[in-house]
Amino acid sequence: MIKSVAGYAQDFVLKGTVSDKSEPLPGVSVVVKGTTNGTTTDVNGGYSIKVKDGNVLVFSYIGYVAKEVAYNGQNQLDVNLESNAKELQEVVVVGYAVQKKATLTGAVASVSGETLTQRKMPSLSTALQGTMPGVTVQQTSGQPGADGSNIRIRGIGSINSNTFPLVLVDGVEMDINQVDANIVESISVLKDAASAAIYGSRAANGVILITTKRGKEGSITTSYSGSATVQRPTNMPKVVDAWQYLQAELQAKDNAGVSVSPSEREQQLKLIEDQRNLEPDNWNRYDTDWKKETLKDYALLQTHNVSVGGGTEKLRMFGSGSYVFQDGLIPNNNYQRTNIQVNTDAKVLSWLKAGLITSIRESNTKAPGVNTPKSIINKSLYMLPTLSAARELDGNWGYGKNGDNPTAQAYASGENRNKSSEILLNGTLTATPFEGFEIVTQYARRNVTGRSRSLVTPYTTSLKGQVMGIYPAEDGLTEGWSQTLHNTFRAQTSYEKEIGRHYAKALVGFQTEDSEFTSFFGAKQGFDLQRYYLGNGDGATATSGGGASSWALMSGYARLNYTFDEKYLLEVSGRYDGSSRFIAKNRWGFFPSVSTGWVLSREKFMDNLASHVDLLKIRASYGLLGNQNIGNYPYTATISPGYGYYLGDNKELVPGVAQTDLENANIGWEKSKQFNVGIDASLWKGKLSFTADYYIKSIYDMLMKFPLPYYAGLSPAFTNAGDMENKGWEIGITHRNQLGDFSYGATFTLNDNQNEITNLNGLNSQDRTMVEGYPNQGIWGYLTDGYYRDWDDVANSPKLGTSARPGFVKYKKIYVADGVNPMIIDSRDLVYLGDPFPHFEYSLNLTAGWKNFDFTAFVQGVGKRSTFMSGVGLRPFFNGGNLFEHQLDSWTVDNPNASYPLLVPEANSADNFVRSDKWVRDGSYTRLKNLVLGYTIPKAITQKAKIESFRVYVSGQNLFTRSNFFDGYDPEVSYGGGVGGEFYPIMQTYTVGVDLKF
């Protein structure tokens, strides 16, 4: 008996074949469930594997439905896998509903929340980068709490109105960067009029629909994810040492012919020699590294999330709590955010369901009291090293530049605190009284409260032991409060019916929204005993203020979908909007769209390719969208207080008000006509998929302001008087495959958008940022021809000004006409130099898995972009500042092909640094944006600790960049500010994290 039992426990070599009913399938994974015992099928679909009686075999292959088969002593086991119908039946969230991806006729892109959370970024907007073609995501800053990205869908949709898409989270408008990525189920982007027209007057710039996770029926599950991140700047320019600056300063004066007396020269040379050979003593010699004194080498970021979900058929729940702490590069600069959300779904009756979303968020931002973090960082880069120490020997802060000391501002100038609290209640009732008919009502109330506290505390400055005074001259405290109440109500019905090969669905809805904003502030100076609260302080300095505004929107919308045999597709939709932002006669607008599709893969002439082509669909759409986001009262005149009038016989001055803005009550919506044609394909059981679109978006009736004569004394009103056009294309290609235990995938996207202002009614701007026939914000400047070689070249060549000399930038004369002096270059010689908007954006997402290891890599880039750097970022000595190392490569007789012109003092250099092709740089780049390597500990180990899954990972962000941009500067960042070239660097990050599920 014992021998017989032992015989039953022995392994048996099971053989068989795997096919899809038409042909064998090579590379199918065959695994004994719950073990690491597995194999793959050969080129003929055959396999062999050791099994025991009672084992369960799992057959899985990309593009097919996984199948589990129990082994019960068979000698051979042949298995047929079915094509993964889910791939074709996958639903995508669209306006107020979901639709099958295979029958979509609009340009809709989607990404799962799982894909986004793998990137481990604090800002959801940045996590979207490169996931969908046609969606431009540009991160312009790394500042804590402000490191979210600008999102634009298919270009810039307006000149003066909002150009960013409408973001709806479970149907409620929200800030995408305040949404916790851990609660996101999916994100859909509506890119064309067919998909977005149902949102009417707010959809001109596209729509982003975020759906959060819901509880699923089953046992309660708990998950935790946490990470710790080290951040450091991707790139920053390097400043020169004190001796290099002093040497360059003397050289610049000599180059410009500035007189330097023998004693001054001797003194300067001695100082250069001392600075070069001796250590700074912070008394006779300063060589302050302001960057080192002010900035940290790295900053920390930590994230934590706990999620709980589960329930029964009657009641399901999903809850999530998260915490983010992000430290800044300078002291007193950080960001904290806490998100708590509970999604509850109840089946009240067999035909009635209720849902409630409760969300609480609080974010806190801290920054120094004087200047912004960005300004402080940039001052620490260009501040002269010879001015003073960051902190003097007597313990006081260094005098810096007339008391302006970036290190002191970071550490001791006070603090700016901003607290934002949000409470959202979003309730939904869904009734299905009979099959196919659905009634949905939704009400949401969003309350966002802001609290600010700006405290300025002066610091004492010294120089060489002498107290120089305090900076700033006065202390100050300003406290403010604001509240935004946003209400959304929606009532919607839909009915769908399938008769034979005909399917139709009609949807009709009504929606209202209103928003009310109120605010006030109080401020004082002159506080006693450093007791900084508004009850203290000098009452004579007290100021206060406040404001309020509101808007409302009422809408009706409808959509009709019809399909025949899931082969011929038609969708018609429209929205009728009324906005309080316009007067009654211009308040209402209708925004319709129509789209069609043809699924060629369902035609009989495609039968011979059925084993290769899963889906082949072409689609086209046309529609009208609107933009009403131009402020709350753009049609009214502005009456401002603070004006005095002399009245009466005695001509006494009395306070009064005055009109400061002209009114135009006839303004209406900005509108856009959009045409889109696209193709979608899925091949070889989903191994390869492809999508491509071409679109034309014509914007008209843009709201513009035409200048008034100076003597009018009024600011101009808005007028519907501008047209603009965006044309573009986009493609996305995905390949997925599985080779035994190894699976991999690759997704490549590429898109381009060309913007052109087509009509300004004569309003071409003087600075050429708006010119008909060219992109909005296009860059104009002069063409250059190297440097003037010598004085003869100066004398015989055209000149921009009278300061030209050998080594200065030489410009080309473009405009030639009778009576035009060929030797003088002026504004008529300006030419178009490029578009600052990114072009030929591309991304490559790579995924791989082998046994318990997972790997993702994300490469993102821009093929063409023009960028002009100005101010400190370009000119040596600008604003009394230092030089960067790359600016030392300047023209001399022996270095005629230098990167920079002849080095001269700032006052003599203006002609060299006007906007020209020399300084408009190629902003294209390729960046390894994200890299993740993870390992999931085997269940045989984790289940002993009652852990369902335990994954550890390491990741990096912005790890490598290839670019021809200015040395020390990041091509993705936007530069500006009062002294030019200001920026808060994007962060390179290194993360270690864990994901647990119980």
Side-chain angles (χ1 to χ4, degrees):
M1 178 65 70
I2 294 174
K3 187 174 182 179
S4 177
V5 171
Y8 277 106
Q10 292 178 352
D11 290 341
F12 176 79
V13 178
L14 176 67
K15 296 183 179 181
T17 59
V18 182
S19 64
D20 67 349
K21 297 182 181 180
S22 61
E23 58 184 15
L25 293 176
V28 176
S29 173
V30 185
V31 179
V32 176
K33 188 175 182 179
T35 73
T36 57
N37 177 24
T39 185
T40 56
T41 58
D42 58 26
V43 292
N44 298 313
Y47 72 92
S48 64
I49 188 171
K50 290 183 178 181
V51 294
K52 295 178 180 178
D53 198 31
N55 283 162
V56 175
L57 296 174
V58 181
F59 299 84
S60 59
Y61 192 56
I62 292 232
Y64 291 82
V65 178
K67 193 170 188 177
E68 295 186 2
V69 181
Y71 172 68
N72 295 314
Q74 304 98 315
N75 292 324
Q76 181 165 332
L77 181 60
D78 297 328
V79 174
N80 287 320
L81 294 184
E82 295 183 2
S83 176
N84 191 352
K86 186 178 179 181
E87 291 287 327
L88 300 181
Q89 301 300 320
E90 180 184 352
V91 295
V92 178
V93 176
V94 295
Y96 302 112
V98 295
Q99 290 184 13
K100 289 182 180 179
K101 194 172 183 179
T103 59
L104 277 176
T105 53
V108 180
S110 63
V111 62
S112 68
E114 181 181 0
T115 298
L116 300 176
T117 54
Q118 286 176 349
R119 294 187 174 181
K120 305 300 180 182
M121 299 179 187
S123 297
L124 183 57
S125 60
T126 304
L128 281 177
Q129 192 171 47
T131 58
M132 292 169 280
V135 181
T136 299
V137 180
Q138 184 180 4
Q139 186 180 7
T140 62
S141 172
Q143 182 174 330
D147 59 350
S149 298
N150 292 329
I151 302 177
R152 290 188 174 90
I153 299 173
R154 293 185 168 181
I156 299 172
S158 180
I159 289 178
N160 291 309
S161 300
N162 180 34
T163 62
F164 300 116
L166 172 67
V167 178
L168 298 174
V169 182
D170 294 318
V172 179
E173 185 175 1
M174 294 183 68
D175 179 356
I176 189 172
N177 288 315
Q178 300 300 336
V179 179
D180 177 20
N182 293 284
I183 67 169
V184 174
E185 179 70 27
S186 67
I187 295 181
S188 294
V189 176
L190 315 183
K191 298 186 286 187
D192 69 338
S195 57
I198 202 163
Y199 292 105
S201 65
R202 295 192 295 164
N205 299 307
V207 182
I208 298 177
L209 303 177
I210 301 176
T211 304
T212 60
K213 296 177 181 178
R214 318 294 293 196
K216 297 178 181 178
E217 188 176 338
S219 58
I220 300 295
T221 60
T222 303
S223 62
Y224 166 79
S225 63
S227 64
T229 301
V230 175
Q231 310 171 96
R232 68 177 190 180
T234 54
N235 210 357
M236 297 187 80
K238 298 178 180 178
V239 295
V240 300
D241 294 330
W243 73 267
Q244 292 174 300
Y245 164 74
L246 292 170
Q247 188 176 68
E249 182 185 44
L250 184 59
Q251 180 186 346
K253 291 179 179 179
D254 291 341
N255 290 340
V258 176
S259 176
V260 179
S261 69
S263 60
E264 289 176 330
R265 183 179 300 276
E266 181 180 357
Q267 183 180 7
Q268 184 91 337
L269 291 172
K270 176 67 167 57
L271 188 55
I272 292 171
E273 188 68 18
D274 289 346
Q275 289 280 17
R276 190 168 189 172
N277 298 310
L278 302 176
E279 292 292 328
D281 59 8
N282 289 346
W283 191 272
N284 299 300
R285 293 178 307 279
Y286 291 104
D287 189 2
T288 304
D289 187 338
W290 294 100
K291 175 186 172 185
K292 183 178 180 180
E293 296 287 346
T294 309
L295 274 66
K296 307 172 188 176
D297 293 330
Y298 59 88
L300 298 179
L301 165 67
Q302 58 174 304
T303 65
H304 304 274
N305 173 263
V306 176
S307 298
V308 179
T312 65
E313 180 186 2
K314 296 289 186 180
L315 182 65
R316 294 176 287 114
M317 182 274 293
F318 171 81
S320 174
S322 67
Y323 173 75
V324 176
F325 177 84
Q326 186 177 15
D327 203 6
L329 281 176
I330 62 174
N332 293 309
N333 180 213
N334 56 57
Y335 172 72
Q336 301 179 65
R337 189 186 73 212
T338 302
N339 291 71
I340 298 174
Q341 181 159 323
V342 178
N343 295 353
T344 307
D345 295 283
K347 190 173 183 181
V348 182
L349 300 169
S350 60
W351 53 273
L352 181 64
K353 294 184 294 184
L356 178 64
I357 298 174
T358 305
S359 175
I360 301 173
R361 174 189 60 82
E362 182 176 290
S363 61
N364 291 274
T365 304
K366 182 181 179 182
V370 172
N371 280 322
T372 63
K374 180 170 73 172
S375 177
I376 290 173
I377 288 174
N378 285 270
K379 283 182 181 179
S380 72
L381 291 177
Y382 71 79
M383 183 77 76
L384 289 182
T386 57
L387 292 175
S388 75
R391 189 186 286 271
E392 290 287 313
L393 296 177
D394 61 4
N396 291 323
W397 294 103
Y399 188 53
K401 186 177 182 180
N402 299 321
D404 190 357
N405 177 334
T407 311
Q409 290 172 7
Y411 279 94
S413 67
E415 61 181 23
N416 274 304
R417 290 184 177 270
N418 287 278
K419 177 181 178 180
S420 176
S421 303
E422 178 178 330
I423 299 176
L424 170 69
L425 293 175
N426 184 358
T428 307
L429 281 176
T430 304
T432 51
F434 54 87
E435 183 178 358
F437 185 67
E438 182 181 75
I439 303 172
V440 178
T441 59
Q442 178 187 18
Y443 173 74
R445 182 175 178 86
R446 181 172 175 240
N447 183 342
V448 181
T449 303
R451 178 75 183 269
S452 63
R453 185 176 189 269
S454 177
L455 172 64
V456 175
T457 56
Y459 50 85
T460 302
T461 62
S462 293
L463 184 65
K464 297 182 179 181
Q466 180 180 350
V467 174
M468 304 297 291
I470 63 171
Y471 185 90
E474 295 285 346
D475 62 5
L477 175 65
T478 303
E479 295 199 38
W481 176 91
S482 65
Q483 183 182 63
T484 301
L485 294 175
H486 189 102
N487 296 292
T488 303
F489 172 77
R490 174 170 65 103
Q492 173 184 303
T493 63
S494 64
Y495 180 68
E496 60 181 337
K497 184 71 175 179
E498 188 171 1
I499 302 175
R501 292 185 291 174
H502 299 272
Y503 168 83
K505 180 177 181 179
L507 179 150
V508 179
F510 169 79
Q511 182 171 333
T512 63
E513 287 186 68
D514 64 81
S515 181
E516 182 178 298
F517 172 81
T518 55
S519 67
F520 63 80
F521 75 90
K524 274 187 180 181
Q525 292 180 323
F527 292 88
D528 297 325
L529 304 175
Q530 296 185 340
R531 297 298 189 262
Y532 296 109
Y533 48 88
L534 290 179
N536 190 15
D538 183 0
T541 66
T543 58
S544 63
S549 62
S550 62
W551 60 268
L553 193 69
M554 182 181 291
S555 312
Y557 56 89
R559 180 170 58 220
L560 174 65
N561 294 90
Y562 170 76
T563 66
F564 175 74
D565 197 25
E566 293 193 351
K567 183 191 306 182
Y568 308 116
L569 318 173
L570 175 67
E571 179 177 302
V572 180
S573 66
R575 186 178 181 107
Y576 192 54
D577 274 335
S579 172
S580 66
R581 288 176 165 136
F582 306 104
I583 65 171
K585 69 175 183 178
N586 296 329
R587 182 161 294 163
W588 294 90
F590 180 56
F591 305 96
S593 76
V594 60
S595 58
T596 61
W598 179 21
V599 185
L600 284 79
S601 53
R602 294 186 63 87
E603 296 286 1
K604 288 186 177 181
F605 60 75
M606 294 289 291
D607 286 349
N608 293 334
L609 298 175
S611 61
H612 304 291
V613 180
D614 314 320
L615 174 70
L616 179 61
K617 176 180 63 176
I618 58 175
R619 47 189 167 73
S621 69
Y622 181 82
L624 177 68
L625 297 176
N627 189 348
Q628 50 94 41
N629 199 347
I630 194 67
N632 291 331
Y633 314 105
Y635 59 88
T636 60
T638 301
I639 306 298
S640 301
Y643 290 83
Y645 297 91
Y646 290 97
L647 300 177
D649 295 336
N650 296 326
K651 303 297 183 184
E652 293 183 1
L653 182 64
V654 296
V657 298
Q659 180 177 345
T660 55
D661 291 296
L662 200 62
E663 60 87 23
N664 181 6
N666 293 318
I667 61 171
W669 316 89
E670 289 190 346
K671 305 180 186 71
S672 63
K673 295 179 290 187
Q674 301 188 19
F675 167 77
N676 187 93
V677 60
I679 182 171
D680 301 315
S682 176
L683 309 174
W684 300 297
K685 312 303 179 186
K687 286 185 179 179
L688 182 67
S689 58
F690 172 84
T691 183
D693 285 87
Y694 173 78
Y695 60 88
I696 301 174
K697 181 162 65 173
S698 300
I699 304 119
Y700 62 101
D701 284 348
M702 283 194 301
L703 290 164
M704 312 292 295
K705 284 189 174 183
F706 289 79
L708 296 173
Y710 176 75
Y711 54 78
L714 296 172
S715 298
F718 281 111
T719 302
N720 293 104
D723 301 335
M724 189 164 64
E725 185 175 74
N726 286 312
K727 292 182 180 179
W729 52 268
E730 55 203 38
I731 61 172
I733 304 172
T734 298
H735 171 58
R736 295 178 300 172
N737 201 5
Q738 182 171 325
L739 304 172
D741 293 331
F742 179 71
S743 62
Y744 68 91
T747 298
F748 175 75
T749 69
L750 176 66
N751 59 264
D752 185 39
N753 175 275
Q754 297 291 333
N755 173 265
E756 180 185 343
I757 298 175
T758 54
N759 182 19
L760 288 173
N761 289 288
L763 190 61
N764 291 318
S765 62
Q766 190 172 1
D767 62 0
R768 307 278 182 110
T769 55
M770 295 188 304
V771 179
E772 288 183 8
Y774 294 91
N776 183 37
Q777 299 297 318
I779 301 174
W780 290 70
Y782 298 102
L783 296 181
T784 60
D785 189 18
Y787 304 111
Y788 293 108
R789 298 186 304 275
D790 49 38
W791 284 109
D792 286 340
D793 194 16
V794 173
N796 298 316
S797 302
K799 291 174 285 296
L800 183 63
T802 59
S803 63
R805 61 174 52 237
F808 272 31
V809 176
K810 183 179 180 180
Y811 299 98
K812 294 181 180 180
K813 182 65 181 176
I814 303 300
Y815 182 76
V816 178
D818 292 340
V820 174
N821 189 335
M823 302 299 288
I824 297 177
I825 295 172
D826 56 32
S827 61
R828 292 173 294 183
D829 296 299
L830 293 170
V831 298
Y832 175 68
L833 298 177
D835 186 359
F837 192 83
H839 292 279
F840 304 108
E841 297 174 274
Y842 56 89
S843 69
L844 177 63
N845 287 276
L846 302 173
T847 61
W850 180 72
K851 294 187 176 180
N852 290 357
F853 289 94
D854 61 88
F855 170 82
T856 63
F858 169 44
V859 178
Q860 182 264 342
V862 170
K864 182 180 180 182
R865 180 179 176 229
S866 298
T867 301
F868 174 68
M869 186 72 72
S870 64
V872 169
L874 181 64
R875 294 174 60 177
F877 307 119
F878 185 76
N879 198 40
N882 202 354
L883 291 85
F884 299 119
E885 286 185 357
H886 59 271
Q887 294 172 336
L888 293 177
D889 181 21
S890 59
W891 185 93
T892 65
V893 174
D894 298 326
N895 187 22
N897 297 315
S899 298
Y900 280 78
L902 181 73
L903 190 64
V904 294
E906 178 196 355
N908 304 87
S909 68
D911 285 355
N912 283 325
F913 297 101
V914 297
R915 195 165 298 185
S916 70
D917 60 347
K918 182 171 181 59
W919 308 120
V920 174
R921 291 292 175 89
D922 176 13
S924 62
Y925 65 90
T926 299
R927 170 167 279 167
L928 179 56
K929 200 75 179 179
N930 188 256
L931 195 68
V932 181
L933 177 62
Y935 178 73
T936 301
I937 297 173
K939 284 190 174 182
I941 298 175
T942 59
Q943 286 180 343
K944 294 178 180 179
K946 297 184 179 181
I947 298 175
E948 183 176 337
S949 66
F950 187 176
R951 175 177 175 265
V952 295
Y953 65 88
V954 292
S955 71
Q957 183 78 8
N958 299 319
L959 296 177
F960 169 79
T961 303
R962 183 175 181 178
S963 171
N964 294 319
F965 201 56
F966 288 92
D967 290 343
Y969 288 90
D970 192 310
E972 190 176 359
V973 172
S974 291
Y975 299 93
V979 295
E982 291 186 6
F983 69 105
Y984 196 113
I986 291 176
M987 294 299 171
Q988 185 179 78
T989 68
Y990 303 91
T991 300
V992 177
V994 297
D995 295 321
L996 290 88
K997 189 174 182 180
F998 302 92

